[in-house]
Amino acid sequence: MNKKRKAFWLKQLHQWHWVTSAICLISLVLFSLTGITLNHASQISADPVIREHQGELPAELLSALAEQKNGPLPAAVQQWLAQKMHLQHTSGEPEWAADEIYLPMPRPGGDAWLAIDMNNGTVLAETTDRGWIAFFNDLHKGRHTGAVWIWFIDIFAVASLLFAFTGLGLMMLHAKRRPATWPVTVAGLVLPWLLIVFFMH
């Protein structure tokens, strides 16, 4: 490779490498730390905080539910649940029955559900908070995070690949001056496979 062409690729790879490193920096820290906490999940103790909620739906809202009979809860019911019972994320798809509506409300780091008695309007709900570590672990896995976060993980994964491949390109261009480049790279490739072959059961 002539000097002019090499200089061009060095400039391009450096540009993409620092851009992707800046984009990935915080997310790499987050996913690395949660990789450790997930790997040691059984050793990290956590006491879930469970809260129970009880209320009575106004008659006009109960009538609106009786008329609807399927689909998401009406906006007025969702607003009442948020204001009177401090229940968020009630826009999901509930299970409708003749005498009860049941709505699961899973979320990162916790869980929740509510049940509405169609006979008398009694609302029972329970929320579970498993703590910040569980919250970030669920972000790592994309568990109950919604479509936007899933898209973010995918974009972050692509940016991380670009970061890795531009780093590989820079190593290739500097390999002549750094004899240890390829032995170390091959070691990084071989070591995980050796661990898989000899230590996984």
Side-chain angles (χ1 to χ4, degrees), residues 23-66:
I23 291 172
C24 296
L25 176 61
I26 301 302
S27 296
L28 278 172
V29 171
L30 170 65
F31 279 82
S32 297
L33 290 174
T34 51
I36 295 172
T37 56
L38 282 168
N39 203 35
H40 297 276
S42 61
Q43 300 166 293
I44 300 173
S45 60
D47 296 320
V49 177
I50 300 174
R51 296 184 178 89
E52 294 183 352
H53 312 260
Q54 185 169 350
E56 187 171 332
L57 204 64
E60 63 272 15
L61 296 181
L62 185 61
S63 297
L65 286 176

Side-chain angles (χ1 to χ4, degrees), residues 21-201:
S21 68
I23 291 172
C24 296
L25 176 61
I26 301 302
S27 296
L28 278 172
V29 171
L30 170 65
F31 279 82
S32 297
L33 290 174
T34 51
I36 295 172
T37 56
L38 282 168
N39 203 35
H40 297 276
S42 61
Q43 300 166 293
I44 300 173
S45 60
D47 296 320
V49 177
I50 300 174
R51 296 184 178 89
E52 294 183 352
H53 312 260
Q54 185 169 350
E56 187 171 332
L57 204 64
E60 63 272 15
L61 296 181
L62 185 61
S63 297
L65 286 176
E67 293 175 3
Q68 181 169 329
K69 296 183 179 179
N70 57 58
L73 297 176
V77 174
Q78 294 184 40
Q79 186 177 7
W80 184 88
L81 290 168
Q83 292 177 350
K84 301 298 183 181
M85 299 188 64
H86 307 291
L87 295 172
Q88 309 297 328
H89 312 294
T90 57
S91 59
E93 192 74 26
E95 300 172 10
W96 295 75
D99 59 346
E100 183 183 72
I101 298 172
Y102 176 79
L103 176 65
M105 300 181 294
R107 65 184 190 276
D111 199 3
W113 58 267
L114 70 84
I116 302 174
D117 189 319
M118 294 298 291
N119 296 312
N120 54 26
T122 299
V123 181
L124 297 176
E126 183 178 278
T127 58
T128 303
D129 186 351
R130 297 193 299 271
W132 282 103
I133 292 178
F135 174 78
F136 285 112
N137 284 349
D138 283 349
L139 290 185
H140 183 112
K141 296 182 289 186
R143 181 176 180 267
H144 305 312
T145 54
V148 173
W149 184 260
I150 297 298
W151 272 104
F152 168 76
I153 292 176
D154 290 343
I155 293 169
F156 162 67
V158 171
S160 297
L161 287 173
L162 286 173
F163 176 64
F165 287 132
T166 53
L168 178 63
L170 289 170
M171 286 194 304
M172 291 174 62
L173 292 174
H174 290 296
K176 287 185 178 180
R177 292 184 297 166
R178 299 170 183 173
T181 295
W182 297 122
V184 173
T185 303
V186 171
L189 175 65
V190 172
L191 181 59
W193 289 105
L194 291 177
L195 295 176
I196 291 170
V197 171
F198 292 105
F199 295 100
M200 281 194 181
H201 304 286

